[in-house]
Amino acid sequence: MPTPDEPKRRIDRGDRGGAAVAAVLLLLCGAFVTYGFLNTDTEDEDEAAGKRSATPTAEATYEVTYEVLGEGAADVTYRGAGDEAHVLTRVGLPWRKTVSVPLGVSPIVNVTLGEKGGTASCTLAVRGKHVQRATATGTFGRTTCGGEAPAAPQ
């Protein structure tokens, strides 16, 4: 005849088996979740590669002419070849520069006057067509001229 402790032992053994099964299932679920986060879908990679190849290369460029009119000197920052920012300090005015900018990159020129102030205006032309003009005045006056990058030729 079983003692009162025997049925309790049987229940404990069953609980341990159930706990082991639950632990294994939990580990498997964790492994699948981790696999889902770490796995990269090849279709997404193929799509991304297709989008990258459709992006214009540095060889596809357009011509931009930046011009800063005024007297004295100003600091000029402009976007040039390779999407690089070129910074010029205390540039004598008037100043003009024509550069090739990669397709897909917007042209921009910033002008900052010095402590002597004054007046300076920037102009921006894309492929020979005037896009914008803006004026800076006063001590440390600032202005920016920018435009949209033209679409790639079809």
Side-chain angles (χ1 to χ4, degrees):
M1 186 167 172
T3 64
D5 290 338
E6 284 185 47
K8 188 174 184 182
R9 284 185 203 146
R10 287 185 191 142
I11 293 171
D12 286 344
R13 287 182 191 150
D15 285 345
R16 283 187 219 154
V21 170
V24 169
L25 289 175
L26 185 61
L27 286 173
L28 285 173
C29 288
F32 283 121
V33 169
T34 302
Y35 176 76
F37 281 119
L38 297 178
N39 186 26
T40 56
D41 190 2
T42 56
E43 288 181 26
D44 290 341
E45 287 177 8
D46 292 341
E47 284 180 25
K51 288 179 184 175
R52 281 192 297 267
S53 65
T55 304
T57 63
E59 295 170 4
T61 61
Y62 63 100
E63 190 174 272
V64 176
T65 301
Y66 301 114
E67 189 171 19
V68 180
L69 303 172
E71 294 180 7
D75 294 344
V76 177
T77 304
Y78 65 94
R79 182 170 288 154
D83 191 22
E84 294 176 15
H86 299 272
V87 179
L88 307 172
T89 56
R90 295 186 297 276
V91 170
L93 301 181
W95 172 86
R96 181 183 178 121
K97 179 84 173 181
T98 300
V99 297
S100 293
V101 176
L103 282 174
V105 175
S106 299
I108 190 167
V109 60
N110 297 305
V111 179
T112 305
L113 299 171
E115 62 186 36
K116 292 183 180 178
T119 301
S121 61
C122 61
T123 60
L124 174 68
V126 174
R127 294 182 174 158
K129 183 179 176 186
H130 175 76
V131 174
Q132 186 180 24
R133 180 182 185 117
T135 303
T137 59
T139 304
F140 300 109
R142 296 172 166 247
T143 192
T144 301
C145 288
E148 291 186 27
Q154 303 276 334

